[in-house]
Amino acid sequence: MTAADLRIDAFDYPLPESRIASHPLAERDRCRLLTLSPDGTMADHIFSSLPELLPADSLLVCNNTRVINARLRFRKGPDASGALIEIFCLEPVSPADYAVSFASTRSCSWLCFVGNSKRWRQGALTARVEVGGREVALSAERLERRGNASVVGFEWDTPAVSFAEIIAALGEIPIPPYLNRPTESSDAADYQTVYSQIDGSVAAPTAGLHFTDPLLQAIAARGIPRRELTLHVGAGTFQPVKSDTIGAHEMHSEFIAVSRRLIEELAATPRRVIAVGTTSVRTLESLYHLGCMAAQGLDPAELPQWYPYRPDHPDLSVAAAMQALLSRMKGETFIATTRLMIAPGYRYRIVRGMVTNFHQPRSTLLLLVSAFIGPDPGWRAVYDHALAAGYRFLSYGDACLFMR
């Protein structure tokens, strides 16, 4: 049986709504931490104990993406009294570069989900927003449909104002739908990591939400270096696998950016790479396979979903794969997109430990965790322990530290 043949119902479990944390703890690093050692031993800790639990030879890698105010609300009609239309920005189309799109000062277009779509068949939506003391008139027009999403063009009348400033003023943080509550003012801070820097995500890399500045200082004091990379999390992270087998599930494409310095370290370091969050896991593992693509003479601009499972995949060392990437780099940052599917049967190449939260049933994130834990004790034993011990689940819930 191949990974693509796995049935998703084997990765289902009952998750009572009462176990889904609707808000984080007042102190981020006071959440619980379930550890799983390489010999299969489980133990219960508090997240603030992480510095002492990390091996001395660790290299901690975090995702520095920042969640944008991706949810924009418009009302139809010249006096904005008509139907409510929600536009959920997913990724830039023109300009396609995130930084350039956010810096745009007159117009740009984004791929978006449109809520109440049937009420917006044609014409432009308008809104007025105050940005830095200026009143800006913003319009949105649906340009084309792409599957269940639409390309929406935005235009505004104040060239001194950027798109980043407009969505910061008009939009709201898109908290996960499974929280079953509206966004609150506290989410603006709670749903960002303390090290978030690069705008672009529509969902937080939630394992990073448990870190505080004092905790990061304690990790550094132990001599454990920390590095950052970027993966902009897309809305597909919330999508459960709806097909019977995972082979029929289409992974969403996500933007990654990694510095030359980190790639060089991965090629040379004897340290144990600990990824903070599944987004960091996917980025690091994607780097290895993109390096293999480069070594095969393929363009390492996008990693296909099932490339790691192909029979012609070269079995390179991490150093050789990183060197192949470095040979193709022209600047100081490697940029690509990834559709990597990690499921049981996948062989981890770079990541030897991960900090992560507890994930939804039937999700690709649970598949990733299962592939890392292996069959003994298996993901179900870990989750059964967490449920029995009263752990809080999903984005604002408790955390795990898995080691190999």
Side-chain angles (χ1 to χ4, degrees), residues 146-220:
R146 293 188 183 177
N148 62 347
S150 297
V151 176
V152 176
F154 298 98
E155 293 186 359
W156 55 100
D157 63 354
T158 309
V161 172
S162 68
F163 188 63
E165 292 173 302
I166 287 174
I167 63 171
L170 179 64
E172 67 177 40
I173 288 284
I175 61 172
Y178 50 66
L179 295 184
N180 291 320
R181 64 169 176 83
T183 300
E184 300 170 7
S185 59
S186 58
D187 292 312
D190 290 342
Y191 203 55
Q192 301 282 10
T193 64
V194 295
Y195 46 76
S196 64
Q197 295 183 48
I198 311 299
D199 285 345
S201 281
V202 300
T206 53
L209 297 180
H210 308 296
F211 288 82
T212 62
D213 289 327
L215 186 64
L216 293 173
Q217 292 165 11
I219 291 170

Side-chain angles (χ1 to χ4, degrees), residues 100-158:
V100 176
S101 186
F102 286 129
S104 298
T105 55
R106 284 193 180 276
S107 65
C108 61
S109 62
W110 278 63
L111 185 67
C112 305
F113 288 145
V114 178
N116 205 10
S117 178
K118 293 181 180 179
R119 302 296 297 275
W120 183 30
R121 297 189 181 279
Q122 59 183 2
L125 304 174
T126 60
R128 303 195 74 83
V129 57
E130 185 174 319
V131 180
R134 301 182 179 91
E135 187 175 77
V136 179
L138 173 69
S139 68
E141 184 174 1
R142 181 181 281 175
L143 303 179
E144 63 176 277
R145 294 179 184 270
R146 293 188 183 177
N148 62 347
S150 297
V151 176
V152 176
F154 298 98
E155 293 186 359
W156 55 100
D157 63 354
T158 309

Side-chain angles (χ1 to χ4, degrees), residues 248-262:
H249 178 77
E250 182 178 356
M251 288 291 288
H252 51 287
S253 176
E254 292 176 310
F255 168 97
I256 63 173
V258 184
S259 68
R260 177 184 292 273
R261 175 191 178 191
L262 178 53

Side-chain angles (χ1 to χ4, degrees), residues 79 177 222 228 234 273 298 346 376:
D79 57 353
R222 282 206 61 216
E228 296 181 355
V273 177
L298 303 173
Y346 177 84
D376 186 17

